[in-house]
Amino acid sequence: MTSIEPSETGPSETGPSETGSSRTTPTRYPERVSGTNEPELHRLLDQSRIGHVGFVSSAGQPVVLPIAIARDGADVLMHGSTGSSWLRRLAEGVPVSLAVTALDALVVARSAFESSMRYRSAVLFGSCRPVLDPEQKGRALNTLTDSLIPGRVAEVRPFTAKELAATLVLRLVVEDYSIKISQRWPDDPPEDVQGPAWAGVLPAQTRYIAAWPAPDLVDGVELPASVRALLEPPD
């Protein structure tokens, strides 16, 4: 089965990519690379809930950290406990990469070898800066909250000073990136096309299917509008 090839990048004999860096030059499937397609990158980031951050630890070991993300303009926000040694490492400004991927469909070919996926993936490069100003930190956390549950910030109390002090908010300043998009159909050889196997595309869809109330939810508290909206089927 053909792999997803999520924005595989590396040195290339063709020189730097459109983003101006050899680390964003594809070594495979260059026709799927969208170069500096910023609108597609922003759309992918806005639809992504989890990103995987890669960096080198203070001990020199490679680390990949899954973390909730939210786009804020051209930057990416992430957060966690101030007690996290990995987040504190990111706050030092070490070079990082961030990978995000959306699975849009399965491509079912007439052979396992030609089967694949429709996907959008990006790898971003840059470094993180801690958000220290309490007001800016609060705004960043609100952005993260509303990216996960749109409209939720207006339904809950503000962050307390203690909560802000216990939270490390990081802003990833993106230096360059590579985005790769696959929207292919099965690409079977003629002899397989004439065979008996079915071929086509299976679109994927992710949605929330239920709202389970907390065991200690006070009687009479109704489902908020933000949660109801997430449960509505997409158009």
Side-chain angles (χ1 to χ4, degrees):
M1 176 175 286
T2 305
S3 66
I4 192 171
E5 303 290 352
S7 293
E8 178 180 337
T9 57
S12 170
E13 295 179 352
T14 59
S17 70
E18 292 181 53
T19 55
S21 171
S22 62
R23 63 184 175 182
T24 57
T25 303
T27 56
R28 298 190 66 192
Y29 303 112
E31 71 279 2
R32 299 181 188 173
V33 175
S34 294
T36 55
N37 193 334
E38 191 172 64
E40 279 296 337
L41 174 67
H42 289 177
R43 177 171 171 259
L44 174 58
L45 289 172
D46 290 342
Q47 293 175 346
S48 299
R49 300 294 175 262
I50 301 292
H52 290 81
V53 181
F55 59 100
V56 177
S57 72
S58 56
Q61 298 299 314
V63 176
V64 174
L65 177 66
I67 192 168
I69 61 170
R71 183 177 68 88
D72 186 23
D75 302 336
V76 179
L77 298 172
M78 57 192 78
H79 77 297
S81 169
T82 54
S84 169
S85 60
W86 285 356
L87 289 184
R88 292 200 304 270
R89 175 65 171 168
L90 294 179
E92 295 174 2
V94 298
V96 303
S97 64
L98 171 69
V100 291
T101 302
L103 172 63
D104 294 326
L106 292 180
V107 178
V108 183
R110 296 171 180 86
S111 68
F113 181 80
E114 292 294 345
S115 295
S116 184
M117 301 176 183
R118 288 188 178 188
Y119 64 88
R120 290 163 293 135
S121 66
V123 177
L124 299 81
F125 299 92
S127 58
C128 293
R129 300 173 182 172
V131 179
L132 301 177
D133 178 77
E135 185 175 346
Q136 293 182 12
K137 183 185 286 190
R139 284 200 298 266
L141 289 173
N142 286 341
T143 298
L144 281 157
T145 299
D146 270 348
S147 72
L148 293 173
I149 310 176
R152 187 58 175 160
V153 169
E155 300 171 343
V156 297
R157 63 167 176 78
F159 292 99
T160 67
K162 183 178 180 180
E163 289 170 339
L164 289 177
T167 305
L168 178 57
V169 177
L170 298 175
R171 179 179 295 276
L172 171 60
V173 179
V174 179
E175 297 171 0
D176 52 17
Y177 64 88
S178 171
I179 180 169
K180 186 176 283 189
I181 300 172
S182 175
Q183 297 177 323
R184 67 189 296 263
W185 287 90
D187 187 19
D188 295 304
E191 59 270 23
D192 285 344
V193 171
Q194 301 305 316
W198 185 87
V201 169
L202 304 180
Q205 183 182 95
T206 300
R207 55 171 299 211
Y208 300 97
I209 59 174
W212 297 342
D216 58 356
L217 186 68
V218 175
D219 291 340
V221 176
E222 297 181 353
L223 205 63
S226 63
V227 174
R228 289 200 306 271
L230 290 178
L231 293 174
E232 294 175 356
D235 297 332

